[in-house]
Amino acid sequence: MNPFVMQYRKLKCHLKYLASYVDLDPRGNQVVRRTDFKHCQKPVLLLHGFFSTRRVLEVLEHRLRREGYCVWSIHLGGTMDRFNTHRIDELARKVQGKVDRLYERHPGMGPLTIIGHSKGGLIGTYYVKRLGGDARVKSLITLGTPHRGTRMAYLGCATLGWFSRSMWQLTPTSRFIKDLSVGAFPRHVRLTSIYSRDDVIARYPSSVLDVDGQPNVFNVELSGVVPHGELLTRRAVWEVIQRELALGYADAPVSAPVVALPSPPLPVALSAAASP
């Protein structure tokens, strides 16, 4: 087959996959506030990914609320004030301001857990590691987050990079990714990256954390085909999130292994000694 035809089909497949992930509904950030922060011992902040809205978090929010967690999210703004296209460091500062004001109004709130999907995980990581978020946050769980950058971002730069600086930040060679990797993650905050080798957006090993001897940093690999967007909805992923929340809130021994899906190609929870 003509190599140009093969490349065209491959590009078309990637674009179709990307289109299935983004959320273009202009009402996607219109959510009903249900959380009572006056009685909130286990608050969980959800951060959505690039060119998406808070609506993609509905399934996960429902499950967390049903388990008794105080769930909330932040309108991250972006293109047309909706689609999360702003710089990652800029959004992390927005998170910092929102969190600080919330704790000032409700000083009795418990320690915070952040669950970030895709770019949302990098926002949370920057907040905890660079903006003093470790003073508020007990654990950070990322879902399909390209901690090492993703090559798919180069395609995004060619199509969306003219109005989204964050797309350039997501490339593997970006100054942002390199700078964020410098230094250890705060030791008293549990950091877990949940990822799938079948993720086309955050291709393996972009979501694998370099634990570098840090006992509080973990990688959780999911077996089977788990597309990028379905990390927020798959029941099997939710079971891993539940275990990580329990570990983060010390409802289970910190040293307990996390068992995710049956027959994984690698150990599901990789500690500092076993991580790639």
Side-chain angles (χ1 to χ4, degrees):
M1 181 181 292
N2 188 307
F4 292 104
V5 174
M6 293 179 63
Q7 288 298 321
Y8 169 76
R9 290 183 176 180
K10 185 177 180 180
L11 177 61
K12 185 177 179 181
C13 181
H14 284 332
L15 289 173
K16 182 178 179 181
Y17 186 94
L18 186 61
S20 68
Y21 162 66
V22 299
D23 177 16
L24 300 178
D25 189 339
R27 299 166 298 175
N29 284 307
Q30 298 175 8
V31 298
V32 179
R33 296 183 181 180
R34 299 186 178 92
T35 300
D36 179 10
F37 292 107
K38 294 180 181 179
H39 305 88
C40 186
Q41 292 307 302
K42 294 183 178 181
V44 177
L45 170 62
L46 303 181
L47 298 174
H48 57 82
F50 177 80
F51 224 71
S52 187
T53 65
R54 288 192 282 180
R55 189 179 67 170
V56 302
L57 305 169
E58 285 181 344
V59 172
L60 181 56
E61 179 180 352
H62 174 75
R63 287 170 171 168
L64 288 164
R65 200 176 300 280
R66 185 178 58 196
E67 295 296 319
Y69 293 98
C70 299
V71 193
W72 57 296
S73 61
I74 292 176
H75 179 197
L76 297 174
T79 300
M80 299 173 64
D81 195 36
R82 298 186 185 101
F83 300 125
N84 189 4
T85 54
H86 291 319
R87 293 177 56 92
I88 298 169
D89 48 328
E90 176 184 329
L91 292 173
R93 292 185 180 88
K94 183 172 186 176
V95 169
Q96 178 188 32
K98 293 278 189 180
V99 171
D100 286 349
R101 287 192 293 272
L102 187 62
Y103 274 86
E104 288 171 3
R105 291 196 298 267
H106 307 284
M109 284 177 56
L112 180 65
T113 291
I114 296 178
I115 301 177
H117 178 239
S118 195
K119 175 186 171 183
L122 288 174
I123 296 170
T125 301
Y126 191 91
Y127 165 57
V128 173
K129 193 173 181 178
R130 296 287 184 250
L131 301 179
D134 56 310
R136 305 282 193 195
V137 178
K138 189 176 184 67
S139 62
L140 170 62
I141 302 170
T142 67
L143 308 174
T145 292
H147 293 282
R148 303 184 183 194
T150 173
R151 287 176 294 174
M152 279 294 288
Y154 291 120
L155 175 60
C157 289
T159 55
L160 305 173
W162 62 276
F163 67 85
S164 173
R165 297 304 303 169
S166 69
M167 184 56 69
W168 299 93
Q169 291 180 309
L170 292 168
T171 61
T173 57
S174 75
R175 172 69 65 181
F176 176 84
I177 290 294
K178 292 179 179 179
D179 289 347
L180 189 58
S181 67
V182 175
F185 196 76
R187 294 279 176 147
H188 53 284
V189 180
R190 182 182 178 91
L191 171 61
T192 304
S193 174
I194 301 174
Y195 68 94
S196 168
R197 294 199 185 209
D198 300 293
D199 189 337
V200 174
I201 302 297
R203 285 185 174 274
Y204 178 84
S206 66
S207 294
V208 178
L209 292 162
D210 182 7
V211 298
D212 194 23
Q214 299 177 90
N216 60 314
V217 178
F218 301 88
N219 291 300
V220 178
E221 180 175 356
L222 304 167
S223 67
V225 179
V226 185
H228 192 69
E230 292 184 24
L231 288 166
L232 289 168
T233 58
R234 284 282 184 99
R235 182 73 189 183
V237 182
W238 163 238
E239 291 173 358
V240 179
I241 293 173
Q242 282 183 296
R243 297 187 186 104
E244 282 300 316
L245 285 166
L247 290 165
Y249 280 111
D251 292 333
V254 173
S255 59
V258 178
V259 181
L261 308 182
S263 303
L266 291 176
V268 173
L270 303 177
S271 65
S275 179

